[in-house]
Amino acid sequence: MDESIYLDELRDPLIIAEGWMRDGKNVAIATVVETWGSAPRAAGSHLVIDAEGNFHGSVSGGCVEGAVVTEAIDVIGSGKPRMLEFGVADETAWQVGLSCGGRIKVYVERLG
């Protein structure tokens, strides 16, 4: 069995989010909640983001993650969670780089 696929405390986004919060940072978490067709990350994948735009983990890759980070910073500021959707049927999917033929839904919420 390939042990490198398992997350340890240095790579687990949830543990990193806890550490950032202990350090006094405002943090949001983005979670893939649904996928259809070809998607780079499975449901349950996480990306943690702080108010300065630092992030760890992955929900998709490329420009989709950039869009998620931008939305997460807004969520940190407002405290209001958001459901984001990216897919090829969306004109924005091509703009953010999800041209693989799939669609993903990402839930973004502030922690703490």
Side-chain angles (χ1 to χ4, degrees), residues 35-103:
T35 66
W36 299 268
S38 177
R41 301 286 183 267
S45 297
H46 297 292
L47 179 69
V48 294
I49 307 97
D50 72 11
E52 288 77 45
N54 299 303
F55 60 92
H56 183 84
S58 181
V59 291
S60 179
C63 297
V64 168
E65 284 189 348
V68 172
V69 168
T70 298
E71 292 288 335
I73 291 169
D74 288 344
V75 167
I76 290 169
S78 71
K80 296 179 182 175
R82 295 186 187 165
M83 183 71 72
L84 309 175
E85 188 170 339
F86 301 95
V88 294
D90 237 339
E91 184 176 309
T92 58
W94 292 99
Q95 293 171 5
V96 297
L98 191 66
S99 57
C100 57
R103 288 182 18 206

